[in-house]
């Protein structure tokens, strides 16, 4: 089989982004390209009390035996909106709801709510957004340390690759 170097490098990059083993298969996303996502793309980030929203979601996650998914980003960010669009797909929405309590946190232009990632051990400026924190709520521990900005260039992936990445963090 003859594979181009681009395909191999994309495959290698995807392998580095995923956790070691995906215990739960992602739903099949029937959209091959982002330009076929329902339009307009969601605007998921809003002003609010991020700490209170995270605390409430964490309590729900503990009670429901789910993980907490904290999505840090901004409505100005195309990659953030693409991720939100994939998570809103009819194939993905029930899957995400079954396995995660999701909180979106507006980081503004990297000048708001930066104490949230810091509270999970992420020091300094975020390397990009969306920054997705997967948290085990019982000990309140970041599960995907070092991979929180893996989706910051979401537009370079396929919708299915985003779905696979999310599924890889199901606890």
């Amino acid at each position: 089989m003859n594979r181009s170097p681009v395909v191999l490098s994309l495959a290698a990059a995807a392998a580095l982004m995923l956790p070691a083993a995906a215990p739960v298969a992602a739903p099949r996303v029937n959209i091959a390209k982002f330009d076929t996502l329902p339009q307009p793309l969601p605007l998921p980030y809003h002003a609010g009390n991020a700490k209170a929203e995270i605390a409430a979601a964490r309590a729900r996650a503990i009670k429901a035996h789910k993980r907490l998914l904290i999505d840090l980003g901004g409505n100005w960010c195309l990659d953030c909106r693409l991720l939100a669009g994939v998570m809103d797909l009819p194939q993905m929405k029930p899957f995400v709801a079954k396995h995660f309590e999701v909180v979106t946190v507006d980081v503004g232009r990297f000048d708001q709510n930066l104490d949230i990632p810091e509270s999970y051990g992420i020091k300094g400026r975020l390397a990009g957004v969306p920054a997705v924190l997967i948290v085990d709520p019982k000990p309140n521990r970041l599960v995907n340390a070092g991979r929180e900005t893996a989706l910051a260039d979401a537009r370079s992936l396929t919708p299915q690759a985003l779905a696979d990445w999310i599924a890889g963090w199901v606890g």
Side-chain angles (χ1 to χ4, degrees), residues 53-70:
E53 291 174 19
I54 290 170
R58 182 172 171 247
R60 289 190 306 271
I62 290 169
K63 185 175 181 179
H65 305 286
K66 298 179 184 181
R67 284 196 164 162
L68 183 59
L69 187 155
I70 303 171

Side-chain angles (χ1 to χ4, degrees), residues 80-119:
C80 299
R81 294 180 66 197
L82 290 171
L83 175 60
V86 169
M87 291 197 321
D88 272 353
L89 288 172
Q91 303 95 328
M92 280 298 293
K93 197 168 191 157
F95 177 86
V96 171
K98 178 180 178 181
H99 298 288
F100 299 97
E101 284 294 328
V102 178
V103 180
T104 56
V105 175
D106 187 0
V107 296
R109 297 283 180 168
F110 297 98
D111 60 358
Q112 297 174 31
N113 295 313
L114 298 180
D115 55 332
I116 303 293
E118 190 173 293
S119 71

Side-chain angles (χ1 to χ4, degrees), residues 16-57:
L16 291 174
M17 288 177 28
L18 290 172
V24 175
R28 299 312 317 155
V29 175
N30 299 326
I31 293 179
K33 295 181 179 180
F34 287 118
D35 62 357
T36 57
L37 283 173
Q39 300 293 322
L41 289 170
L43 298 168
Y45 307 95
H46 61 278
N49 186 336
K51 287 181 185 174
E53 291 174 19
I54 290 170

